[in-house]
Amino acid sequence: MATKVYIEDLSKHVGENVTLQGWLYNLRSSGKIKFLLMRDGTGICQGVAVKSVIGDELFIRAGELTQESSFKMSGTIRAEQRAPGGFEMDVTNVEIISIAKEYPITPKEHGVEFLADRRHLWLRSSRQHAVMRVRHEIIRSIREFFDDRGFTLLDAPIFTPAACEGTSTLFETEYFDLGKAYLTQSGQLYGEAGAMALGKVYVFGPTFRAEKSKTRRHLTEFWMVEPEVAFNDLADNMDLAEEFLEHIVTNVLKNRMQELKTLERNIQKLEVVKRPFPRITYDQAVEILHKNNIPFEWGNDLGATDETVISEQFDRPVMVHRYPSEVKAFYMKRDPENPKVALAVDVLASEGYGEIIGGSQREDDYDLLLARLKEHNLPQEAFDWYLDLRRYGSVPHAGFGLGIERTVAWICGLEHVRETIPFPRMIYRLTP
Ligand code: 4AD
Ligand code: MG
């Protein structure tokens, strides 16, 4: 058998005799020729099997391949502009591995619930494949960004003794003789300990929220990356966030253009995602809402529609800072110039995708932090270790969290976050 290669590497094998291994995407016959469209996970390649070349017996066998049957095909690679992927194989041999039963997902339109129930198979479809490859590129770029800037990856625990982002969305579980444990909502508090030890860290892992909301932006299990930097203030935090987002979008455009085309993404809307991003205060955001005839009361948190209206005023992500402290988490530092607002920042993605980043400068004063814990009715014992960070060499510090799935939805131009993660978890979905 010839050298085994992957479809995405075919440009290096033009004129060579190679073997491809994969699954049948489609089969067309036209008299004495069969067109075998194979997908191998890296791309799609059309094999042209001519009866007079491969012989009658093999020609008949090739015709028995059903959609998603696994097989190998060998032959010579030829550049072909019109072919999907740009290359074709002149097939000399076909080896069937496993004939697939009647495949439930066909080119006809299926309802989204039908597809979601078959997520394990749906992932093979070209759009889902493209989304997963873009997701991977986003995650790769995130790691590259922090690794190249001297950050240390710090893995935070998933079982935690207390809430980080408010108590209303905690998943709880029994934890041996120690009572209740909660699935983490955010690794931030541990990231702060890491920043005091290592200067600049990022926490990257799954996070859990018992969100009752059935919106297109909410999952109960999602991935978050959270940088935390000692000595950074809110302005430094915003600088980091915009450089970070620009890096991610630039890399996706550079390395995953084919996938963006498959997704029919409007590329121009991504190409303008360049620094500097507009920075507006919460007060200015409220003005924008009022100008757009949205009855919004100062002091409320921005809802999904509010975020959409605000982000539609700009062609790139917008940073909204200094939210009322009342609607934000206990650990956020208040603005010394106006204690009614917190040194918080949310980044709203362009095109109405809403909040993708939430962050802040942290309260670094022991007494103020203690007062906040009490105001929020949080159990002090569970946070005693966290207060230690303010007892022993406290410094100003800041960080943020980027939700991976919302970022994937935005960059891919998807309607709903359920298609941005391999196996979504939502209040009404725990399978497959
Ligand atoms: O704004 P959030 O709640 O911020 C934090 O958790 C901070 N501790 C982060 C930090 O400062 N280190 O969540 C951060 C991001 C949101 O902007 C959003 O992108 C995403 O996490 N997110 C969700 N994504 C999907 N489904 C949900 N239910 C989400 N909740 C938050
Ligand atoms: Mg938030």
Side-chain angles (χ1 to χ4, degrees):
M1 210 173 38
T3 322
K4 294 174 192 166
V5 301
Y6 286 102
I7 292 172
E8 70 177 348
D9 300 327
L10 283 182
S11 64
K12 292 180 234 151
H13 299 283
V14 175
E16 290 174 26
N17 187 33
V18 299
T19 298
L20 296 174
Q21 313 178 97
W23 297 265
L24 188 85
Y25 206 61
N26 193 23
L27 173 71
R28 272 191 311 120
S29 299
S30 129
K32 296 183 164 57
I33 308 181
K34 287 198 194 302
F35 300 96
L36 309 172
L37 205 55
M38 173 190 271
R39 56 164 200 92
D40 76 345
T42 72
I44 285 188
C45 177
Q46 177 158 278
V48 183
V50 180
K51 193 174 182 180
S52 59
V53 175
I54 62 172
D56 290 357
E57 198 188 328
L58 210 51
F59 193 75
I60 292 167
R61 290 221 65 197
E64 287 163 4
L65 285 168
T66 52
Q67 189 188 350
E68 289 302 315
S69 289
S70 49
F71 69 109
K72 299 179 188 182
M73 61 182 187
S74 305
T76 312
I77 300 303
R78 179 165 45 74
E80 172 56 73
Q81 288 271 307
R82 290 162 303 173
F87 300 94
E88 273 187 355
M89 172 182 273
D90 288 321
V91 175
T92 50
N93 196 18
V94 175
E95 195 183 312
I96 294 172
I97 302 169
S98 172
I99 294 288
K101 299 221 160 66
E102 197 177 336
Y103 194 62
I105 302 176
T106 58
K108 76 160 207 224
E109 282 281 318
H110 295 287
V112 71
E113 287 305 316
F114 176 93
L115 291 167
D117 286 341
R118 292 156 188 80
R119 182 64 174 165
H120 50 292
L121 302 176
W122 189 20
L123 285 171
R124 303 180 187 192
S125 303
S126 60
R127 278 182 61 85
Q128 301 307 313
H129 175 267
V131 174
M132 289 305 121
R133 299 258 282 194
V134 172
R135 178 185 170 101
H136 173 73
E137 179 61 22
I138 290 170
I139 291 172
R140 194 199 63 73
S141 303
I142 288 170
R143 293 186 185 280
E144 173 184 81
F145 180 86
F146 292 121
D147 294 348
D148 286 354
R149 284 162 182 75
F151 284 66
T152 300
L153 174 68
L154 190 100
D155 301 310
I158 287 173
F159 285 134
T160 59
C164 171
E165 293 298 318
T167 48
S168 65
T169 64
L170 285 173
F171 279 110
E172 59 175 54
T173 179
E174 298 301 325
Y175 199 82
F176 305 108
D177 296 338
L178 298 181
K180 298 234 181 296
Y182 306 95
L183 298 187
T184 186
Q185 300 164 308
S186 154
Q188 179 198 322
L189 307 188
Y190 299 96
E192 289 183 53
M196 300 306 134
L198 296 146
K200 309 182 255 191
V201 299
Y202 66 106
V203 176
F204 199 171
T207 45
F208 305 86
R209 301 208 183 161
E211 304 266 16
K212 295 266 158 49
S213 32
K214 293 185 189 170
T215 80
R216 59 194 185 88
R217 295 177 184 174
H218 288 91
L219 296 165
T220 53
E221 176 179 328
F222 62 98
W223 283 69
M224 206 193 321
V225 58
E226 301 179 86
E228 191 71 35
V229 184
F231 305 104
N232 265 11
D233 62 14
L234 180 66
D236 299 325
N237 206 29
M238 292 198 267
D239 291 346
L240 184 68
E242 67 180 359
E243 190 187 351
F244 174 60
L245 284 177
E246 182 187 281
H247 177 85
I248 295 172
V249 173
T250 305
N251 270 307
V252 174
L253 285 169
K254 197 170 98 202
N255 301 322
R256 287 290 169 249
M257 191 52 95
Q258 190 54 51
E259 284 76 5
L260 293 175
K261 282 195 184 130
T262 300
L263 295 165
E264 296 169 271
R265 182 69 170 100
N266 182 342
I267 307 297
Q268 279 153 2
K269 303 261 186 198
L270 294 177
E271 281 168 345
V272 298
V273 180
K274 296 277 177 217
R275 286 177 286 169
F277 296 168
R279 297 179 186 195
I280 61 170
T281 60
Y282 170 90
D283 288 5
Q284 290 168 318
V286 174
E287 270 172 43
I288 292 177
L289 293 175
H290 288 165
K291 275 200 197 116
N292 284 277
N293 298 317
I294 301 204
F296 184 90
E297 216 176 299
W298 196 99
N300 289 339
D301 203 357
L302 300 176
T305 341
D306 307 321
E307 289 180 353
T308 301
V309 171
I310 295 161
S311 71
E312 276 169 354
Q313 315 295 313
F314 306 95
D315 67 347
R316 61 199 75 195
V318 50
M319 306 204 250
V320 183
H321 57 92
R322 293 181 166 78
Y323 283 72
S325 11
E326 300 276 299
V327 297
K328 289 293 184 187
F330 76 95
Y331 53 72
M332 292 190 181
K333 191 175 178 65
R334 299 205 174 170
D335 187 349
E337 321 236 297
N338 175 11
K340 277 197 171 138
V341 300
L343 296 174
V345 59
D346 278 2
V347 182
L348 312 183
S350 39
E351 300 167 79
Y353 275 87
E355 179 200 333
I356 51 172
I357 282 182
S360 71
Q361 186 173 333
R362 319 308 187 187
E363 182 51 74
D364 51 331
D365 180 88
Y366 178 88
D367 294 318
L368 291 176
L369 185 58
L370 189 60
R372 290 293 115 69
L373 281 170
K374 285 181 183 150
E375 278 167 29
H376 283 81
N377 290 319
L378 292 166
Q380 203 185 311
E381 323 77 66
F383 290 92
D384 202 45
W385 70 268
Y386 184 63
L387 286 161
D388 267 357
L389 305 177
R390 279 70 178 169
R391 284 187 188 104
Y392 306 110
S394 189
V395 298
H397 60 289
F400 60 81
L402 170 88
I404 300 302
E405 289 72 23
R406 289 191 193 173
T407 306
V408 176
W410 167 52
I411 293 180
C412 290
L414 302 176
E415 190 53 36
H416 199 294
V417 288
R418 73 185 148 216
E419 289 181 41
T420 63
I421 185 163
F423 296 96
R425 296 290 174 251
M426 293 169 287
I427 64 180
Y428 50 88
R429 180 165 295 281
L430 191 56
T431 52

